[in-house]
């Protein structure tokens, strides 16, 4: 048994409690300003076929685009939809409110910016029963409707974009660090607690850390697939990744050695580029003669940055995908560095100063968004 000061002693391995196959499933979905996506997200959720009853609990943030009216319209047409308020608009607050309002022993997290594939819930229930895992998740398959969004989707699905987490394109089933969305038994949540409402981004990673520390397995099943629609503009993408990176920095402050090494690559890149700018300025100023150490430092700093630039150009040039053309490849030249540098800058800021009240304003100016 290993002790972790952040989450307490690691418990012995144990299995999640089994429930009857027809005991019912509660889908929970935080919602904020999703007028263009909510109807389809609800339709694909309610189309899931499971042996028992289902319900969909929508946690409604203070939307300004007509989403709340649409949610009430959908609820009036289908009594399986339950509405709860989430005035804070924070992800974990909305999720917890929806979970508390739900009634079935299996909880399935769904996001309003995603679409469940047919058979998703049935497969997830089978995997839960087969593995006795504490949480089960699958693949986030990003997709796009515009050249920019398709470029972002390609980056999401590629190891060079988001670091190769299993749920961004893994193909081997097995234990995982975290789970995208997640299908979890209520008994596990009763054991480890609900989402931490002090964490606005990365709340799923922190919950899965507690699940694993309690002795349960977090399980990745590549047969589970969810379509995800990324941010639709460059400024929104930058805001999203800056906020997400800052909260990862906060998680590093709280759980330092429990963070995987991959999370340190973007901040290392930001530091390296900053050093390269300083070295480049010194070389341009003619200071090399007075600073002989520059001859040693310059290659060590400039060559990795040049290699990164070439890597981005190469991946952008060879990228392939449905509807992928020159415009998508052109956007990749901007998308990849934006994701890396915004996230890395946010991480460094969060690691040094903490996240405090940082919010993701990429969907609603000045407010948080309950979406990944």
């Amino acid at each position: 048994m290993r002790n972790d000061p952040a989450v307490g002693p690691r418990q012995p391995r144990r299995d999640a409690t089994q429930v009857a196959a027809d005991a019912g499933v509660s889908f929970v979905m935080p919602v904020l300003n999703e007028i263009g996506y909510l109807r389809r997200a609800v339709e694909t959720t309610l189309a899931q076929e499971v042996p028992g009853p289902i319900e969909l609990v929508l946690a409604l943030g203070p939307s300004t685009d007509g989403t709340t009216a649409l949610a009430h319209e959908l609820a009036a047409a289908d009594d399986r939809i339950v509405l709860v308020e989430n005035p804070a608009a924070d992800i974990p607050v909305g999720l917890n409110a929806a979970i508390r309002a739900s009634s079935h022993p299996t909880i399935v997290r769904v996001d309003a910016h995603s679409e469940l594939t047919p058979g998703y819930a049935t497969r997830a229930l089978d995997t839960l029963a087969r593995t006795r895992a504490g949480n089960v998740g699958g693949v986030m398959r990003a997709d796009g409707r515009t050249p920019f969004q398709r470029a972002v989707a390609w980056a999401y699905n590629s190891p060079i974009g988001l670091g190769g987490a299993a749920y961004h394109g893994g193909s081997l089933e097995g234990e995982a660090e975290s789970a995208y969305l997640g299908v979890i038994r209520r008994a596990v949540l009763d054991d480890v607690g609900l989402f931490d409402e002090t964490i606005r981004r990365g709340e799923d990673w922190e919950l899965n850390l507690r699940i694993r520390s309690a002795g349960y397995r977090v399980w990745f099943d590549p047969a589970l697939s969810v379509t995800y629609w990324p941010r639709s503009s460059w400024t929104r993408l930058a805001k999203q990744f800056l906020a997400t990176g800052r909260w990862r920095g906060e998680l590093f402050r709280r759980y330092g050695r429990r963070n995987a090494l991959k999370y340190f690559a973007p901040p290392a890149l930001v530091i390296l580029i900053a050093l390269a700018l300083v070295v480049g300025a010194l070389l341009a100023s003619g200071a090399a003669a007075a600073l002989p150490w520059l001859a040693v430092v310059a290659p060590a700093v400039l060559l990795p940055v040049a290699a990164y630039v070439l890597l981005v150009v190469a991946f952008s040039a060879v990228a392939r995908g449905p509807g992928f053309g020159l415009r998508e490849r052109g956007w990749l030249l901007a998308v990849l560095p934006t994701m890396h540098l915004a996230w890395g800058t946010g991480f460094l800021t969060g690691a040094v100063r903490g996240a405090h009240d940082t919010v993701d304003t990429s969907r609603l100016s000045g407010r948080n968004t309950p979406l990944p």
Side-chain angles (χ1 to χ4, degrees):
M1 184 184 302
R2 182 162 61 86
N3 185 66
D4 189 322
V7 293
R10 178 179 288 276
Q11 302 299 315
R13 278 296 181 96
R14 52 181 169 156
D15 293 332
T17 303
Q18 291 279 40
V19 302
D22 59 353
V25 173
S26 295
F27 297 89
V28 296
M29 181 191 299
V31 179
L32 178 66
N33 280 350
E34 293 294 350
I35 191 65
Y37 296 90
L38 179 62
R39 185 181 296 275
R40 183 59 181 161
V42 168
E43 289 174 349
T44 61
T45 299
L46 295 179
Q48 297 296 306
E49 297 181 356
V50 300
I54 67 171
E55 64 180 352
L56 170 58
V57 186
L58 303 180
L60 302 178
S63 295
T64 57
D65 66 348
T67 294
T68 299
L70 174 59
H72 281 275
E73 174 190 326
L74 296 171
D78 196 317
D79 60 10
R80 294 174 297 174
I81 300 177
V82 179
L83 304 180
V84 296
E85 295 298 321
N86 177 25
D90 284 339
I91 303 170
V93 174
L95 287 169
N96 288 347
I99 292 168
R100 292 188 184 104
S102 66
S103 56
H104 298 309
T106 301
I107 306 296
V108 180
R109 177 179 173 179
V110 191
D111 281 323
H113 223 60
S114 62
E115 298 176 11
L116 300 185
T117 54
Y120 176 89
T122 300
R123 172 72 187 199
L125 292 176
D126 290 343
T127 302
L128 273 178
R130 171 171 54 86
T131 63
R132 303 286 298 275
N135 194 8
V136 168
V139 178
M140 173 203 281
R141 297 207 181 278
D143 202 353
R145 297 170 176 170
T146 65
F148 175 83
Q149 203 174 38
R150 284 193 289 272
V152 177
W154 186 94
Y156 264 80
N157 296 330
S158 168
I160 191 178
L162 292 184
Y167 57 81
H168 288 303
S171 59
L172 298 177
E173 182 177 5
E175 292 190 49
E177 177 187 20
S178 188
Y180 174 55
L181 298 183
V183 181
I184 187 170
R185 301 293 191 199
R186 182 182 298 275
V188 173
L189 290 173
D190 291 340
D191 183 18
V192 306
L194 300 182
F195 289 93
D196 185 338
E197 296 185 3
T198 70
I199 299 174
R200 282 175 160 158
R201 309 289 289 178
E203 76 292 334
D204 50 350
W205 180 89
E206 189 276 337
L207 175 62
N208 283 296
L209 173 61
R210 280 186 279 128
I211 291 172
R212 290 185 288 111
S213 297
Y216 300 106
R217 291 178 298 280
V218 174
W219 198 263
F220 170 71
D221 183 354
L224 297 173
S225 178
V226 180
T227 299
Y228 170 74
W229 302 97
R231 300 299 190 266
S232 58
S233 73
W234 180 84
T235 54
R236 293 185 176 190
L237 181 73
K239 289 178 180 179
Q240 176 198 11
F241 273 75
L242 189 64
T244 303
R246 185 155 184 178
W247 275 104
R248 176 52 62 179
E250 173 67 29
L251 291 173
F252 168 67
R253 287 167 65 92
R254 299 190 191 190
Y255 309 106
R257 60 194 178 93
R258 301 304 299 273
N259 289 267
L261 287 176
K262 65 184 179 183
Y263 296 122
F264 298 93
L269 175 65
V270 171
I271 293 172
L272 193 62
I273 290 177
L275 291 174
L277 290 174
V278 172
V279 169
L282 290 173
L283 291 174
S285 69
L291 302 171
W293 52 267
L294 272 179
V296 177
V297 172
V301 172
L302 298 178
L303 289 178
V305 173
Y308 171 76
V309 172
L310 291 175
L311 190 67
V312 168
V313 171
F315 270 91
S316 300
V318 302
R320 297 289 186 274
F324 229 74
L326 288 177
R327 289 204 297 174
E328 285 79 5
R329 294 188 187 95
W331 271 120
L332 265 183
L333 292 171
V335 164
L336 288 171
T338 297
M339 293 168 67
H340 298 154
L341 298 181
W343 199 98
T345 301
F347 181 99
L348 292 172
T349 305
V352 174
R353 300 174 54 189
H356 301 294
D357 60 349
T358 298
V359 297
D360 175 7
T361 59
S362 61
R363 293 201 199 279
L364 183 63
S365 178
R367 299 300 298 269
N368 195 22
T369 167
L371 296 172

